[in-house]
């Protein structure tokens, strides 16, 4: 947190000759992507409970559409956030505002695997996310819709397996999560080091962005 970083810097400055080192480590500490991991963990737990509920309903009733129904019910619970009527999560760091992006990916996967009713579930989710984007055009909503559209088109054209077998795509897939976990602290420390050399300006900001990209 910001308070933790401030305390860390204060402790470092109390030691003669240590301010620069303290600021370096503080930049590393502050850049750890803990918030995104916390949201992901919440989604994994909620998704496991949702899938368990759907499978339990299917066993109890024999209803083939049970898993998709539970997914749609969960999406409708999160709809006020997706439609931008609510913006504050139920608890600090809550995941419900991001639920639509996760469930869009799940539903397009179920649709591709011919899960009963997944086509209707996917259409419902796309409609809700599109309505939310129309109310408040956030890039995350548009990106989610474009990604789902690209995946659906690739599946329809029967090219999904082909491009996933490309060697460099598989290589990116193998390293992507590791890069995700470490890119923020590496980026933060690199940007901090470059700003120690370059004077603050628009040009230096552009230079930092180009080099880190």
């Amino acid at each position: 947190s910001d308070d933790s970083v401030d305390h860390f810097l204060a402790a470092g400055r109390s030691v003669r000759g240590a301010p620069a080192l303290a600021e370096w480590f503080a930049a590393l500490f502050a850049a750890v992507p803990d918030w995104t991991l916390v949201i992901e963990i919440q989604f994994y737990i909620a998704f496991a409970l949702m899938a368990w509920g759907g499978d339990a309903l299917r066993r109890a009733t024999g209803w083939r559409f049970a898993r998709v129904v539970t997914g749609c019910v969960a999406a409708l619970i999160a709809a006020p956030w997706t439609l931008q009527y609510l913006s504050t999560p139920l608890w600090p760091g809550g995941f419900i505002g991001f639920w639509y992006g996760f469930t869009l990916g799940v539903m397009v996967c179920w649709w591709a695997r011919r899960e009963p009713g997944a086509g209707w579930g996917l259409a419902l989710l796309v409609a809700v996310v599109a309505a939310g984007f129309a109310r408040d055009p956030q890039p995350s909503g548009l990106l989610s819709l474009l990604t789902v559209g690209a995946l659906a088109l690739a599946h329809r054209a029967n090219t999904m397996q082909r491009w996933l077998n490309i060697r460099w795509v598989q290589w990116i897939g193998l390293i992507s999560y590791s890069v995700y976990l470490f890119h923020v602290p590496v980026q933060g420390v690199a940007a901090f080091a470059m700003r120690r050399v370059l004077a603050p300006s628009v040009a230096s900001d552009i230079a930092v962005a180009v080099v880190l990209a």
Side-chain angles (χ1 to χ4, degrees):
S1 66
D2 293 340
D3 290 340
S4 300
V5 174
D6 291 339
H7 290 317
F8 189 91
L9 287 172
R13 291 193 180 100
S14 67
V15 180
R16 186 175 179 180
L21 183 62
E23 290 178 4
W24 189 91
F25 277 108
L28 175 64
F29 175 77
V32 174
D34 56 308
W35 72 274
T36 54
L37 295 180
V38 168
I39 289 175
E40 287 180 33
I41 290 169
Q42 292 176 69
F43 168 74
Y44 298 146
I45 294 172
F47 174 71
L49 291 173
M50 184 186 77
W52 173 81
D55 290 345
L57 181 62
R58 178 182 291 177
R59 287 193 299 270
T61 63
W63 199 12
R64 297 186 306 140
F65 304 95
R67 181 177 287 184
V68 172
V69 167
T70 56
C72 290
V73 169
L76 291 175
I77 292 172
W81 287 267
T82 308
L83 293 170
Q84 310 298 328
Y85 287 107
L86 296 176
S87 58
T88 304
L90 296 175
W91 55 82
F95 73 103
I96 195 164
F98 300 95
W99 180 254
Y100 68 88
F102 286 114
T103 47
L104 270 175
V106 170
M107 201 63 72
V108 76
C109 175
W110 285 353
W111 169 77
R113 297 178 58 181
R114 301 181 182 276
E115 183 76 25
W120 292 104
L122 180 60
L124 172 66
L125 281 171
V126 167
V128 172
V129 175
F133 180 75
R135 281 182 52 83
D136 186 10
Q138 295 291 329
S140 57
L142 178 60
L143 184 60
S144 296
L145 291 171
L146 291 176
T147 301
V148 166
L151 290 172
L153 288 174
H155 175 71
R156 278 295 188 188
N158 201 28
T159 58
M160 183 80 75
Q161 193 69 25
R162 186 187 311 161
W163 65 265
L164 286 178
N165 283 331
I166 298 173
R167 188 180 297 267
W168 65 266
V169 173
Q170 292 185 344
W171 179 78
I172 291 175
L174 287 173
I175 69 169
S176 61
Y177 199 70
S178 299
V179 171
Y180 159 71
L181 291 176
F182 286 97
H183 85 279
V184 175
V186 170
Q187 174 182 303
V189 171
F192 174 79
M194 291 181 68
R195 293 188 189 285
R196 301 283 291 187
V197 177
L198 300 174
S201 66
V202 175
S204 66
D205 289 344
I206 294 174
V208 169
V210 169
V211 170
L212 292 179

